[in-house]
Amino acid sequence: MVLDPHEMLACALAEAEAGFAEGGVPIGAALYDADGTLLGRGRNRRVQDGDPSVHAETAAFRAAGRRRDYRSTTMVTTLAPCWYCSGLVRQFGIGHVVVGDAATFAGGIEWLAGAGVDVTVLDDPRCVALMTRFVDEQPDLWNEDIGIS
C-alpha cells in the first residue's frame, strides 16, 4: 500500500511536535519504503542531546538501518532539508523527498531537484505554523540551527 504524502507527513509532524514539547527545534522526519512501509522516524535533537549533527533527517535515516539501495525510498520532512540533510539525500541516493514547509526555509530543495531527486512541496499549514511560532519565540536557537550565529 503506497501512502499519500499527507499521510506520511503526519508521522514527521508528530516527531516535530514532540521535539518542540521537549524544548528542541521542531523538525521531524520519516523515511518510507516504496510500498509505504515506515523504515525510520526521528526529530531534530540538537538541543536535547547537545549534538549538532542530530537533525531530523539524519535521525530518521539512522533509525531505518542499513539498506543496499535507497533509490526507492521517500524522506518526509516537516521543513525543507538544510544543506547537511540535502547532502545525506544525495549521498545515499534517496529518490523522493516530501517537504512539509518550504515557505519558512527553502534549504536545498532546488539543488536536490536539479540533481534528479523527486521533490514534493506541500507547504502544509500545520508545519508552517509550527516553524513560524518557533522562529518567533526562539530566533537565536533558529539562527544557530541554520548556521547563522
Side-chain angles (χ1 to χ4, degrees):
M1 161 179 92
V2 178
L3 295 177
D4 175 87
H6 295 278
E7 292 176 41
M8 293 189 290
L9 181 63
C11 178
L13 185 56
E15 289 290 330
E17 291 168 339
F20 188 65
E22 296 167 349
V25 180
I27 303 170
L31 187 65
Y32 287 89
D33 205 345
D35 66 1
T37 300
L38 177 64
L39 301 172
R41 60 191 290 169
R43 59 184 165 271
N44 184 305
R45 295 194 51 86
R46 296 178 70 252
V47 173
Q48 299 92 314
D49 294 353
D51 180 347
S53 71
V54 187
H55 288 213
E57 297 87 344
T58 59
F61 183 76
R62 289 174 181 157
R66 183 172 169 231
R67 299 176 59 85
R68 181 170 172 77
D69 180 30
Y70 294 89
R71 177 64 47 202
S72 65
T73 64
T74 298
M75 178 67 75
V76 181
T77 181
T78 58
L79 185 67
C82 67
W83 289 109
Y84 170 61
C85 296
S86 294
L88 178 139
V89 169
R90 294 273 310 266
Q91 174 70 31
F92 291 96
I94 294 170
H96 186 205
V97 175
V98 173
V99 177
D101 172 10
T104 304
F105 178 71
I109 58 176
E110 286 186 23
W111 182 63
L112 290 171
V117 177
D118 181 22
V119 177
T120 301
V121 177
L122 301 177
D123 278 336
D124 183 276
R126 299 165 300 171
C127 294
V128 174
L130 182 59
M131 281 310 299
T132 301
R133 179 179 171 198
F134 172 73
V135 171
D136 288 346
E137 291 178 4
Q138 299 194 53
D140 290 341
L141 183 53
W142 167 243
N143 288 335
E144 175 190 324
D145 190 62
I146 61 168
I148 302 173
S149 297

